[in-house]
Amino acid sequence: MLTVAQAESTILQHALPLHIEQVPLQKAQGRILAEDLFADRDFPPFDRVTMDGIAIHYAEFAAGRRHFPIEAVQAAGAAQLSLQQTQHCLEVMTGAPLPLGTDTVIRYEDLLIENGIAQINIEAITQRQNIHSRAIDRHEGDLIIAAGRKIGPAEMATAATLGKAEIAVARLPRTAIISTGDELVEVHETPMPHQIRRSNVYAIQAALAEWKIEAEAFHFYDDEAAIQAGIQDILTRYELVILSGAVSEGKFDFVPQALAAAGVQQLFHKVSQRPGKPFWFGTFGAQAVLFALPGNPVSAFVGTYRYILPWLRQSLGLKKWPIQTAALTRELDFKPDLTYFVPVKLDNGSAGLIKATPLEGHGSGDLANLNDADGFLELPRERSHFSAGEVFPLYRYR
């Protein structure tokens, strides 16, 4: 039985090779950038006015001049104007290019304008104030965003500024999620007393959807031949296959045997953790990677966030993903020699330290408890007592 660290290492060693595709910028939100983005010109490309007001030649102000006749108005989006006489000024709007012959902007609030003459009413003026200087942010050719970043609003705005109507992103793996079990019925059905509606598929689909993956769902009843045939078909069409249920040692837990019969190589089965000890992982040549999670909802949830999402981030080429931590708010004892993923409620503590309060639950089948938790802490297996204030890795799903 592998440790959590050994299981994680094995999984990450089998990340999919990175494949790249071009998508319209409008569809790039949430995808992983697969190209470096460079400045196509200076940022900003001109001396940009940052306040509505007037632009003057500072030397005139330094020489004592306080009244400046207005020559014209420099609007944002209009071609750059030139100051014709240094004793004059130009009205300027925010975002406009700074007119030639001027080097200082005074905002309207510090002026009195009458009969086409602007009077400056303050003495605290510095040369080049209220100007966003050309190339002060980046020079043409500078790297703006490196590949391997998840594209969010800032990246979208930058790509648009660079004229990237299409952008290179990591291609998403074709993904199938398989639930198994005679006890499961569809969400729209009324279950018999001995049945439940299937929920793990929806949880895993939702977790993957945050990474823009649209996973197709399948269900197989507890029939070894049917599971094997279904898996063989799925392996020809999908690169990421996630199974939920029938992975333990019960009489109807046919998934490990069916996977072996389909030609899937088992890399491990069972991890020294709670919940989710029966967790299974394997590969189908270079074509597909398979995760088989226990059917209990908390086990499936933990397996998705602890193993599948880190594997996905690596497969998509994500370069930086900060490891979060949180501090226990109370002491906790856990005696089994297993890594313990304890559900927690989070609160922002002092000095930027997140506080995590363990939640009482009723085992790996307690789906309702997931709604009260914000994530889970990973407590190491080498210990049985954990003190309040100790900090541990945090995996959050809210």
Side-chain angles (χ1 to χ4, degrees), residues 236-350:
T236 65
R237 296 184 287 134
Y238 297 92
E239 299 161 293
L240 169 59
V241 180
I242 304 170
L243 300 98
S244 171
V247 73
S248 189
E249 296 179 349
K251 288 186 176 181
F252 300 101
D253 289 338
F254 298 127
V255 163
Q257 303 96 296
L259 290 171
V264 177
Q265 179 187 5
Q266 173 184 309
L267 295 177
F268 64 77
H269 186 192
K270 294 185 181 179
V271 179
S272 56
Q273 62 186 19
R274 182 179 292 176
K277 186 165 72 171
F279 176 39
W280 185 104
F281 177 73
T283 58
F284 183 62
Q287 300 178 48
V289 171
L290 295 93
F291 295 83
L293 305 170
N296 283 323
V298 179
S299 298
F301 216 84
V302 166
T304 298
Y305 280 87
R306 181 60 183 87
Y307 298 109
I308 297 177
L309 294 188
W311 172 90
L312 179 63
R313 292 194 288 267
Q314 181 147 319
S315 295
L316 296 178
L318 188 67
K319 293 295 193 330
K320 295 181 180 179
W321 189 259
I323 297 175
Q324 290 188 301
T325 58
L328 282 172
T329 59
R330 61 175 176 83
E331 66 178 14
L332 183 68
D333 290 304
F334 181 74
K335 293 184 178 181
D337 186 24
L338 300 169
T339 297
Y340 184 29
F341 298 113
V342 57
V344 292
K345 189 72 176 176
L346 301 176
D347 185 29
N348 292 325
S350 59

Side-chain angles (χ1 to χ4, degrees), residues 74-93:
Q74 173 72 72
Q80 186 182 37
L81 299 177
S82 296
L83 186 66
Q84 301 303 308
Q85 298 186 48
T86 59
Q87 303 92 341
H88 294 180
C89 70
L90 288 162
E91 285 192 77
V92 290
M93 303 296 111

Side-chain angles (χ1 to χ4, degrees), residues 158-213:
T158 299
T161 298
L162 297 175
K164 299 291 292 184
E166 287 194 343
I167 194 165
V169 297
R171 181 176 66 77
L172 302 173
R174 298 183 297 274
T175 304
I177 304 175
I178 303 170
S179 58
T180 62
D182 291 346
E183 76 278 14
L184 299 179
V185 300
E186 296 296 334
V187 64
H188 61 274
E189 296 181 303
T190 300
M192 301 289 287
H194 56 280
Q195 296 176 317
I196 57 174
R197 296 184 181 93
R198 64 184 190 134
S199 61
N200 288 351
V201 164
Y202 294 95
I204 298 170
Q205 279 182 320
L208 296 177
E210 295 180 5
W211 295 87
K212 301 300 181 180
I213 292 178

Side-chain angles (χ1 to χ4, degrees), residues 110-124:
D110 300 323
L111 302 170
L112 175 64
I113 298 178
E114 290 183 339
N115 301 319
I117 297 176
Q119 174 184 324
I120 300 175
N121 295 328
I122 60 171
E123 295 298 323

Side-chain angles (χ1 to χ4, degrees), residues 9 12 23 123 247:
S9 176
L12 295 182
V23 300
E123 295 298 323
V247 73

Side-chain angles (χ1 to χ4, degrees), residues 33 149 160 166 336 352 375:
L33 181 66
R149 180 186 297 187
E166 287 194 343

Side-chain angles (χ1 to χ4, degrees), residues 46-61:
F46 50 81
D47 284 346
R48 188 175 68 88
V49 174
T50 63
M51 289 283 185
D52 296 331
I54 63 169
I56 66 170
H57 185 64
Y58 180 78
E60 294 291 333
F61 178 87

